[in-house]
Amino acid sequence: MMTEMLDPVAKEQAMDEAVLQVQGLDVDIRTPKGTVRVVSSVGFSARRGKTLALLGESGCGKSMTAKAIAGLLDPVASVAGGKAYLDAQDLFSMNGKRRRAVAGEGLGIVFQDALAALNPVYTIGTQLGEAFRIHRGASRKQAKAEAIELMRRVGIPEPETRVNSYPHQFSGGMRQRILIAMAVALSPKLLIADEPTTALDVTVQAQIMQLLRKLRSEEQMAVVLITHDLAVVAEEADDVCVMYAGNVVEQGSVQRVFAQPTHPYTKGLLSSVPTDAHRGQGLTSIPGSPPELSKIPAGCVYQDRCPLAAAICREQRPELHETGPGQRSACHFSQQVAEMKPIDDSATGEDAH
Amino acid sequence: MATLEQATQLTKGKKRSDSRVSMFTMLLRDRFATVAAIFLTLVVLTAIFGPALMGDRATAQDLMFMNKAPFDPANGWLYFLGSDSLGRSVLARMVVATQTTLLVAVPAVLVALIIGSLWGVWAGYHRGRREAVSMRIADIIMSFPSLLLAVVVLFVFNPSAANIVLILAITRIPIYLRTARAESAELQSRTFVDAARTFGTKSNSIILRHVIPVVTPTLLTLATLEFCFVMLAESSLSFLGIGIQPPDVSWGLMVAQGRQYLQTAWWLSILPGLAIVLTAVAANVLAAWMRIATDPAQRWRLELDRKSTKAFEKATRQAAKMQVKKGND
Amino acid sequence: MLTYLRKRIIASALPLVVVIIGVFALARMTGNPAALYLPLNATDTMREEFAARNGLDQPILVQMAQYFGGIFRLDFGTSMRTGEDAATMALRAFPATLQLAATTMIIAILLAVVVGSVAAMKPNGIWDRCSSFISMTAASIPDFWLAIVGIWVFAITLGWVPTSGVVGAAAWFLPVATLVMRPFGTLVQVIRGAMVSALSEPYIKLARSKGATEYRVIGQHALRNAAAPGLTVAGDLTVGLVNGAVVVETIFGWPGIGKLMIDSIMQRDFAVLQACVLLTAVAIFILNILIDLGYALLDPRVRPSAGARKRRKARAAQGPTQGSDPRTPQLVGASMATTESIRGN
């Protein structure tokens, strides 16, 4: 079953399950020094009622991918190729009007920094009700009633009085709840959550993730969760898509990928997490840092940091290929990676040769 | 103006000689700013050498050439900008007026700049009571209706050029005072000032070595804008009859004197006013450029050479168009 | 609210007192009015009598004390010129200035919001460059010259409007058109800058993610945020208009407070001059409170008590630097917003 889900060219029977399908997405950014490809042929699909995690370091293009899908790219960035289907509607070929109709109704997005994302000069009620005013033609009064209902759903105490408060009068956790409420206001089919808990305390993070989980099962939304946090992926996501330097390097079910990574980058990430298993040993980290996006080498994007890098890696960029049930990896040596011990220094360390 | 501008060039040039693109190159890459700088340089050169070249032509009356309209080559270069009711050359008078105008505006700006900046840096560095008192004084000066104050003062003391400079300088000191104070108050809490302090450096030398160099670009930009304001203020005062007094002549005074001949000889008022406007716009454009050039966050715009900028913009526009086209399909 | 008012009054009291004392002292330095009001052959007794009648024989400190005493009884003295109550004269002239200032500001704000917003939609676009150049020029034109050009073109050459007076709509055209330039030029730059920064905020993306139309995004989400800095600068410009319409009022014979002030100085009519200064100062004081309240209304993060502080911050943020002076927006603000559009071309 996994196989179909993760195949970007989805099989027929999967169509009704896959809410979002992204194929070969390219995103370019224009800088003073020329055009830089920040997202390169990224493909994945998100299933109804399930969470797909886009995992990667900052700057790996995961946020850019999400913005491209949501149609919220900055003016300097643009989609250079690929397709994104939301329930068979092609998102990239829509005109402005249809795009706006989809925004909110079909696709909701939760931003990272709730304080910056909420308009400081309007009350929470106004902003929560705005979606109903735009899409459902609700009156001010109806919109406010809907806003109160939403606030109740996301667990904000005393919604009747707090509906007239302004964003700065809420705590960080409450603001994030409001942002989530705004994204799910019209029960969209797809919810994109862009690092929704990064700015929050650990305890609040757990509450927010719990809320997202609750809403996902209530609404049967597909959730795309963008994060750099392996623990969050392990706990929350069903599927994972590991990104590196604008490319997908490995994807599959979280269970599979985390149990038996088939890309050295995934392996390196996993072994850099402190677990009980290697208590007492030193923590490992991946040597080096991601390449500058303007200087991505030919061949494999991970070659500079990869302990397994060989001549072929310098010449030929590995394609994503099946490495297990529902699992795909973009590594010439995925077989060798898979056969190494799950947590093994050799995947990341110096003694790779 | 020249002094200001050149001073900016010099300090910048020295400080950033190691950076890839010099201030001068950056200036050349901004067409607007280049034109503004050239224009201001011409104005300054005119002010310095013009009156000597014109000799007594500015005051020479020639009844043969009364109220000649401008732009008539038949009258010769001297009367290219026309003549007034006494047959004096407007061109010659404007050249002489350039000097008077700048001799009021530049010293007024410099006096206010130096006093205001040093005072502000000092107040901001020491904080506490010194800062509070300074700001109160600034508030008080600012709460006078400044034009009225100038009118009253110049009415009391005779309106000589020195008095105009003084009153304009005093009323503009708070501008620099506030800016310098804010910047220096922010700086004095920074680590590099703390570091200097832990070495036992005296506060005066910290101010001199660490605070002043940082605030200078900002204050020079402000001074360029202020030059524009002060010049307009002087011309307003001269226009009201309490600024520059005849037989001296400034642009503002020429506008005022020409006013009564508006029906018969429009050029007497309009042309000197145009000189004011052009100089003010040039100072504004240059200040705008200086702000970008001295702002590390924005300087890259000027460091790019024009060709690549153009190419980039073209690409941006095309991409935007393509997006729109795609969207409309 | 009350604490805020008290704070404001205390903060404004000192400058106000200093201004009154300053104007009082300076006015008396302009010379003895007796020379102006009595015939040249007036005898010494006549002069003394004149001085005594107007309290000019007392030492200046006594005069000042009397004057301050009078203020508390709402007695601002009488005009030497007309014998009328000085306060009445000032109050009579004030509406003309206020009307002129209000008309000017309303037009300037409306124009600037439209031009500035459109310019901000495509930073560095052709429209942005044009509007930045126009606004920069508008902010640099001396008003007296513009008034003269206006008279030359519209009154003398075309004969469409009268050269002076307050009768009829045509008479308003030139004074308003002259005065509108600087506020318009300054505000375009401020609003454009504020709109550009507002449009790059994440909350704009959030609004778009809800499917808001461009009109809604720009007209509501961005403009409401850009309004606060705009209001601050507009307030300062209004103060400038109330304060400095002297030139334009003189040229067009507009019977406002600026013209009355100049006339009073020239005629050494101290009581009227002081009443005018005091009235202007009070008007500016009230205006500043209104701006603070308006700011608090526009930006809920600012409570009235913190209004002034926040406002100052916001103003500083628009200037070339953090601490730029808030009261010279016409020049400090000028070109701040246009910086980006100037480069390269």
Side-chain angles (χ1 to χ4, degrees):
Chain A
M1 184 181 153
M2 290 291 167
T3 326
E4 292 98 349
M5 294 308 89
L6 293 158
D7 193 341
V9 190
K11 307 264 188 327
E12 285 298 307
Q13 64 263 45
M15 281 299 279
D16 50 355
E17 278 258 339
V19 175
L20 173 76
Q21 285 187 293
V22 179
Q23 299 162 3
L25 174 68
D26 295 329
V27 176
D28 284 354
I29 283 187
R30 287 175 299 278
T31 71
K33 283 167 193 144
T35 305
V36 175
R37 178 144 297 183
V38 289
V39 173
S40 165
S41 44
V42 163
F44 56 83
S45 59
R47 297 178 291 156
R48 173 160 296 125
K50 304 283 181 189
T51 299
L52 167 89
L54 287 183
L55 174 68
E57 294 165 73
S58 56
C60 72
K62 54 191 194 304
S63 271
M64 208 56 85
T65 305
K67 280 182 186 158
I69 295 164
L72 297 172
L73 283 174
D74 291 312
V76 289
S78 64
V79 174
K83 300 251 183 244
Y85 294 101
L86 182 70
D87 266 358
Q89 288 176 290
D90 186 351
L91 287 172
F92 295 151
S93 66
M94 287 179 176
N95 63 16
K97 199 174 173 191
R98 278 189 54 212
R99 183 92 229 197
R100 282 197 293 275
V102 167
E105 289 271 25
L107 184 159
I109 182 162
V110 179
F111 291 91
Q112 178 176 350
D113 181 357
L115 185 60
L118 290 167
N119 196 327
V121 300
Y122 289 111
T123 63
I124 289 306
T126 313
Q127 296 186 61
L128 276 170
E130 195 178 10
F132 297 97
R133 307 257 301 151
I134 296 169
H135 291 276
R136 305 273 158 89
S139 70
R140 270 171 212 281
K141 213 173 149 191
Q142 288 167 327
K144 195 168 171 181
E146 294 279 6
I148 293 171
E149 185 48 39
L150 274 173
M151 289 169 80
R152 193 171 286 126
R153 267 185 75 195
V154 297
I156 290 169
E158 300 175 58
E160 286 85 0
T161 49
R162 303 232 64 188
V163 73
N164 293 323
S165 304
Y166 289 93
H168 71 276
Q169 293 164 326
F170 288 85
S171 68
M174 286 296 150
R175 277 197 289 265
Q176 201 64 44
R177 281 169 191 268
I178 290 163
L179 216 56
I180 291 170
M182 227 169 267
V184 302
L186 302 174
S187 313
K189 296 175 208 116
L190 172 70
L191 182 73
I192 299 174
D194 187 356
E195 309 234 7
T197 58
T198 309
L200 301 173
D201 291 345
V202 182
T203 47
V204 184
Q205 277 184 15
Q207 294 167 5
I208 295 295
M209 291 317 301
Q210 197 187 353
L211 173 67
L212 274 175
R213 212 157 43 223
K214 183 189 113 188
L215 291 169
R216 186 192 68 185
S217 53
E218 279 175 13
E219 302 280 348
Q220 281 300 300
M221 298 178 293
V223 175
V224 173
L225 177 67
I226 293 156
T227 182
H228 60 261
D229 190 338
L230 287 160
V232 166
V233 176
E235 275 170 39
E236 306 293 333
D238 301 289
D239 305 319
V240 63
C241 186
V242 184
M243 289 183 71
Y244 183 82
N247 286 256
V248 174
V249 292
E250 180 161 18
Q251 57 190 182
S253 74
V254 171
Q255 263 180 328
R256 280 278 325 174
V257 171
F258 278 33
Q260 195 182 69
T262 54
H263 193 282
Y265 177 61
T266 320
K267 195 137 196 162
L269 278 182
L270 288 169
S271 57
S272 63
V273 177
T275 58
D276 283 340
H278 57 282
R279 191 177 287 278
Q281 303 168 18
L283 273 176
T284 50
S285 62
I286 306 176
S289 54
E292 265 183 62
L293 287 169
S294 55
K295 290 175 195 146
I296 291 189
C300 178
V301 288
Y302 191 57
Q303 54 176 285
D304 292 341
R305 297 169 81 186
C306 184
L308 303 173
I312 184 170
C313 303
R314 311 236 175 266
E315 285 148 22
Q316 200 185 334
R317 186 163 294 184
E319 297 279 317
L320 273 174
H321 58 272
E322 209 131 319
T323 53
Q327 187 179 10
R328 286 144 51 90
S329 156
C331 178
H332 292 301
F333 301 106
S334 51
Q335 209 62 36
Q336 286 93 311
V337 179
E339 280 158 14
M340 284 187 271
K341 277 195 294 157
I343 305 292
D344 189 347
D345 283 358
S346 64
T348 60
E350 306 66 39
D351 51 344
H353 299 289
Chain B
M1 195 56 231
T3 40
L4 264 182
E5 197 193 314
Q6 283 155 2
T8 326
Q9 295 293 356
L10 280 176
T11 47
K12 298 293 155 46
K14 230 181 271 168
K15 224 189 317 172
R16 302 219 174 80
S17 53
D18 53 331
S19 71
R20 277 169 304 158
V21 182
S22 77
M23 218 59 183
F24 186 68
T25 321
M26 275 200 265
L27 180 67
L28 289 183
R29 285 187 182 160
D30 187 328
R31 216 174 295 162
F32 267 130
T34 313
V35 172
I38 291 172
F39 182 80
L40 288 176
T41 314
L42 281 179
V43 169
V44 169
L45 291 177
T46 310
I48 297 172
F49 302 109
L53 288 177
M54 284 297 165
D56 59 354
R57 288 194 182 96
T59 47
Q61 302 178 5
D62 187 342
L63 296 181
M64 293 290 289
F65 282 97
M66 267 167 38
N67 285 339
K68 288 287 180 214
F71 313 124
D72 183 355
N75 296 328
W77 65 269
L78 190 58
Y79 294 101
F80 184 67
L81 296 182
S83 64
D84 63 11
S85 56
L86 296 172
R88 292 177 298 190
S89 156
V90 172
L91 178 67
R93 278 169 64 75
M94 269 174 70
V95 166
V96 175
T98 309
Q99 189 177 47
T100 324
T101 306
L102 291 199
L103 272 181
V104 170
V106 174
V109 168
L110 286 181
V111 170
L113 171 69
I114 291 164
I115 296 177
S117 307
L118 290 179
W119 187 357
V121 166
W122 172 82
Y125 182 82
H126 290 292
R127 312 296 311 249
R129 192 174 302 158
R130 281 173 265 201
E131 185 184 25
V133 171
S134 306
M135 292 318 284
R136 257 294 115 85
I137 295 175
D139 278 346
I140 290 173
I141 299 179
M142 294 304 293
S143 61
F144 275 92
S146 59
L147 190 62
L148 188 78
L149 181 72
V151 169
V152 175
V153 169
L154 293 172
F155 202 76
V156 177
F157 310 101
N158 61 329
S160 67
N163 279 340
I164 301 170
V165 169
L166 206 64
I167 186 75
L168 286 177
I170 290 172
T171 48
R172 302 319 283 175
I173 282 175
I175 313 281
Y176 304 95
L177 172 60
R178 286 174 186 217
T179 309
R181 184 213 64 92
E183 294 247 312
S184 123
E186 207 262 318
L187 282 174
Q188 66 92 33
S189 62
R190 294 256 201 98
T191 333
F192 68 89
V193 173
D194 276 345
R197 235 181 254 139
T198 48
F199 296 140
T201 320
K202 287 208 181 75
S203 44
N204 278 347
S205 71
I206 295 182
I207 289 178
L208 202 66
R209 293 233 190 101
H210 296 287
V211 180
I212 290 184
V214 179
V215 300
T216 303
T218 309
L219 290 169
L220 285 178
T221 308
L222 188 59
T224 313
L225 278 179
E226 279 293 296
F227 164 76
C228 185
F229 181 91
V230 167
M231 188 183 65
L232 293 185
E234 177 271 317
S235 49
S236 292
L237 288 174
S238 299
F239 179 81
L240 287 173
I242 40 177
I244 300 296
Q245 300 293 314
D248 282 343
V249 60
S250 78
W251 289 337
L253 185 62
M254 285 181 77
V255 176
Q257 289 173 335
R259 193 180 151 204
Q260 49 183 316
Y261 303 105
L262 208 50
Q263 306 218 23
T264 50
W266 56 268
W267 54 90
L268 297 183
S269 262
I270 306 297
L271 292 180
L274 214 53
I276 300 175
V277 174
L278 288 177
T279 312
V281 172
N284 249 323
V285 169
L286 198 69
W289 170 81
M290 278 165 72
R291 187 163 310 136
I292 305 181
T294 55
D295 179 358
Q298 291 199 59
R299 203 182 317 143
W300 62 270
R301 292 168 182 282
L302 296 167
E303 282 174 348
L304 296 171
D305 67 275
R306 205 178 290 147
K307 214 187 260 170
S308 75
T309 312
K310 274 273 156 62
F312 170 58
E313 273 170 5
K314 203 171 156 198
T316 312
R317 268 199 302 277
Q318 270 172 354
K321 249 182 233 156
M322 270 168 59
Q323 276 299 102
V324 171
K325 219 184 270 168
K326 227 199 263 171
N328 288 336
D329 284 343
Chain C
M1 185 63 210
L2 278 175
T3 10
Y4 159 75
L5 261 182
R6 200 181 315 135
K7 260 190 205 155
R8 274 314 289 244
I9 291 174
I10 292 170
S12 317
L14 180 65
L16 197 62
V17 169
V18 176
V19 167
I20 296 172
I21 294 175
V23 172
F24 193 93
L26 282 171
R28 266 142 193 85
M29 279 191 253
T30 59
N32 189 346
L36 216 65
Y37 287 93
L38 296 177
L40 277 175
N41 55 0
T43 60
D44 282 354
T45 25
M46 279 170 78
R47 283 175 201 280
E48 271 160 33
E49 196 192 335
F50 178 84
R53 182 149 35 90
N54 290 292
L56 297 174
D57 53 343
Q58 312 270 356
I60 191 154
L61 282 179
V62 176
Q63 286 184 39
M64 209 178 281
Q66 281 171 348
Y67 185 72
F68 275 100
I71 290 178
F72 286 108
R73 297 191 306 274
L74 293 179
D75 170 15
F76 298 92
T78 48
S79 164
M80 284 182 229
R81 200 156 37 129
T82 60
E84 225 178 327
D85 182 42
T88 316
M89 285 178 73
L91 282 171
R92 197 171 50 220
F94 200 55
T97 299
L98 222 50
Q99 284 165 359
L100 198 58
T103 316
T104 302
M105 282 316 292
I106 290 169
I107 293 173
I109 289 171
L110 289 179
L111 280 178
V113 164
V114 173
V115 175
S117 303
V118 174
M121 281 166 71
K122 281 223 178 96
N124 275 323
I126 182 76
W127 173 248
D128 185 25
R129 292 209 190 105
C130 288
S131 78
S132 99
F133 192 77
I134 292 169
S135 56
M136 205 181 264
T137 312
S140 318
I141 299 178
D143 43 13
F144 62 88
W145 183 70
L146 196 63
I148 287 178
V149 173
I151 289 175
W152 174 50
V153 174
F154 293 103
I156 295 177
T157 313
L158 299 172
W160 290 354
V161 289
T163 52
S164 66
V166 272
V167 192
W172 284 72
F173 173 72
L174 279 183
V176 170
T178 306
L179 284 175
V180 104
M181 282 299 166
R182 187 168 300 174
F184 165 74
T186 311
L187 279 174
V188 166
Q189 296 171 22
V190 171
I191 288 171
R192 183 232 173 240
M195 284 295 281
V196 167
S197 73
L199 282 170
S200 67
E201 291 284 335
Y203 55 73
I204 294 298
K205 282 214 163 77
L206 181 68
R208 291 215 168 100
S209 82
K210 292 183 204 166
T213 56
E214 276 307 281
Y215 174 76
R216 196 184 183 93
V217 166
I218 290 166
Q220 290 189 15
H221 285 274
L223 198 57
R224 177 73 187 273
N225 277 279
L231 174 84
T232 310
V233 175
D236 291 331
L237 290 165
T238 315
V239 169
L241 281 182
V242 171
N243 231 336
V246 180
V247 176
V248 169
E249 285 183 7
T250 312
I251 293 179
F252 292 107
W254 197 268
I257 198 112
K259 189 167 184 306
L260 186 61
M261 275 198 241
I262 286 284
D263 289 349
S264 314
I265 294 172
M266 300 298 176
Q267 308 279 335
R268 296 189 175 80
D269 201 349
F270 303 150
V272 177
L273 174 64
Q274 275 146 209
C276 288
V277 171
L278 207 61
L279 184 63
T280 319
V282 170
I284 290 168
F285 171 70
I286 293 171
L287 194 66
N288 272 321
I289 289 178
L290 288 179
I291 296 167
D292 272 4
L293 291 182
Y295 200 99
L297 212 64
L298 283 174
D299 189 343
R301 287 166 297 184
V302 187
R303 292 178 195 293
S305 57
R309 211 181 323 131
K310 171 83 201 213
R311 229 178 93 210
R312 222 165 284 145
K313 246 192 229 160
R315 271 197 272 211
Q318 298 144 19
T321 57
Q322 275 181 310
S324 80
D325 173 71
R327 293 192 207 210
T328 47
Q330 57 269 51
L331 293 157
V332 172
S335 69
M336 57 135 285
T338 48
T339 46
E340 283 159 60
S341 45
I342 297 295
R343 69 172 169 114
N345 296 64

